[in-house]
Structures are given as C-alpha cells and as structure tokens.
C-alpha cells in the first residue's frame, strides 16, 4: 500500500543510500526509517514481528540443544507422500532436476554480475547449493537460492569476499532473537524496498553490454 508517507520514506532512503559513500549507509538509512516510523507512529506497511513459533528451550543436553533447530531429519521426511503428490517418481525427479537447474542458473547470474574472487567452480556452486537446501529442508524453511539484488547491495556497500555470506548468515540468525526483532518491528517496508531499488537502479539505468 503506497501513500504519501511511504513515498517520503522511499525518497529519504534513496537519498541516504545513493548520496553517501559510507559502507554503513544502508544500516543508517534503515535505522533512520525505523526511528522516524516509531516516533510518528507510522500506520503503513511495516516489517512487524516475526510469526510466533515454538519456543527455544535449553535442556542442558548438548546434543539435543545443538540439534533443536532440526524440524525433520532427511529420513523422517514424507518422501512417499511428496512423490505421490507430484504424480509419481518420473515427475518428481523431473521437477527436482528442473528446480535445481533454475536454482543453479540464479547463482550463475549473480556471479556474472559480481564475479567471485579467483573465479567460479560449477561443482563447488552445485555442492554448496545442495548442502544449503538440505539444511534448509531439515529446518523447515524454503529452498536456498541466489539473490542478485542481495549481491548487488553487498557490492554497493563494499563487500567483496565470500565472508559476506558467512556474516550475512550469522546476522540473519541473530535477527530472530525477540529483542532484536522488536527493534526492527517499526521499519517501513518502503525503506527496505528502496534499499533494493538503490542497488539495482544503476544496472537498469546503465546496463552492461553483453
């Protein structure tokens, strides 16, 4: 839902992200947007709190605590029911291969825009995607894929090594803590969309020659 305030939030975010050169400009734009939204009691679309889930309980059992994130182990997943829903093994295999192929192409498109240091190895990319999707399924989440906008945003703020993915993963996990989620709750969605727009806008305005 777009309104005058959402447009102002977008304009403010675009100005901060595209005008300043500091690597912290995205964080600053998000913090300013969340602060203004909180003070003004903004009634538009905001990030809000994450959906309620099962509470985390520390049992003292190291093995149980380290695997508490697992929703289902691979051997517990309803593979037979999934195969039946997809129309049998031939269609299930075809669907899985097609999805893996599209997912891999997404990664390649990201690397074409932001080449990895030292070049790319297709076998390494496929293995990484496979392990990530298995872990995602065990946790009950969606499949893992490449994000061109995230990579372009990372490049815009100066991230230039694979360490970005590791840091991004740890920060994403930290955002799940209730006290951090509460701080992000009033962030307008217009602010987040504008940071993505600021990352991709230069490539749209001045695309690279093929």
């Amino acid at each position: 839902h777009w309104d005058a305030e959402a447009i102002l939030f977008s304009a403010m975010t675009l100005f901060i992200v595209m005008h300043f050169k500091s690597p912290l400009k995205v964080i600053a734009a998000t913090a300013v947007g969340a602060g203004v939204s909180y003070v003004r009691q903004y009634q538009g679309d905001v990030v809000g709190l994450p959906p309620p889930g099962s509470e985390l309980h520390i049992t003292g059992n190291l093995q149980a605590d380290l695997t508490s994130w697992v929703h289902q182990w691979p051997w517990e997943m309803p593979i037979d029911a999934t195969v039946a829903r997809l129309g049998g093994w031939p269609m299930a295999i075809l669907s899985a291969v097609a999805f893996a192929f599209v997912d891999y192409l997404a990664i390649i498109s990201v690397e074409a825009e932001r080449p990895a240091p030292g070049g790319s190895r297709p076998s390494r990319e496929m293995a990484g995607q496979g392990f990530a999707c298995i872990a995602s399924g065990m946790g009950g989440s969606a499949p893992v894929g490449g994000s061109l906008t995230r990579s372009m945003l990372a490049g815009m703020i100066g991230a230039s090594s694979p360490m970005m993915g590791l840091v991004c993963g740890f920060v994403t996990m930290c955002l799940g803590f209730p006290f951090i989620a509460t701080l992000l709750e009033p962030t307008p969605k217009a602010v987040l969309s504008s940071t993505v727009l600021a990352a991709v806008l230069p490539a749209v305005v001045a695309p690279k020659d093929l």
Side-chain angles (χ1 to χ4, degrees):
H1 175 66
W2 283 94
D3 53 29
E5 284 189 291
I7 295 174
L8 290 175
F9 275 120
S10 298
M12 176 189 69
T13 304
L14 285 172
F15 175 79
I16 294 175
V17 174
M18 301 188 73
H19 180 73
F20 294 99
K21 302 298 183 182
S22 171
L24 300 178
K25 57 187 177 182
V26 174
I27 298 176
T30 305
V32 170
V36 174
S37 173
Y38 177 78
V39 172
R40 290 185 53 81
Q41 294 296 303
Y42 177 58
Q43 299 299 313
D45 290 335
V46 297
V47 173
L49 292 173
S54 58
E55 295 183 1
L56 179 64
H57 297 285
I58 304 300
T59 64
N61 184 311
L62 183 60
Q63 181 178 358
D65 291 338
L66 291 177
T67 58
S68 60
W69 61 274
V70 176
H71 179 68
Q72 282 184 321
W73 294 101
W75 53 85
E76 298 174 339
M77 296 180 181
I79 296 177
D80 292 338
T82 302
V83 169
R85 187 172 70 251
L86 293 176
W89 278 104
M91 286 302 300
I93 294 174
L94 179 62
S95 298
V97 171
F99 177 83
F101 181 71
V102 172
D103 209 21
Y104 176 68
L105 287 181
I107 292 295
I108 294 302
S109 68
V110 171
E111 293 207 347
E113 181 66 30
R114 294 287 179 182
S120 173
R121 293 205 305 267
S123 59
R124 179 185 61 188
E125 299 296 337
M126 289 292 286
Q129 284 288 100
F131 281 119
C133 286
I134 291 174
S136 179
M138 291 169 58
S141 185
V144 176
S147 173
L148 179 59
T149 52
R150 189 190 70 169
S151 296
M152 295 180 72
L153 185 62
M156 184 179 67
I157 62 176
S160 59
S161 75
M163 183 64 71
M164 185 275 295
L166 180 64
V167 173
C168 183
F170 279 116
V171 171
T172 301
M173 289 191 294
C174 291
L175 293 178
F177 290 112
F179 63 91
I180 298 181
T182 302
L183 294 176
L184 297 177
E185 178 185 1
T187 305
K189 291 183 178 179
V191 170
L192 302 183
S193 62
S194 296
T195 59
V196 174
L197 181 61
V200 301
L201 195 58
V204 175
V205 175
K208 293 181 178 180
D209 294 330
L210 296 177

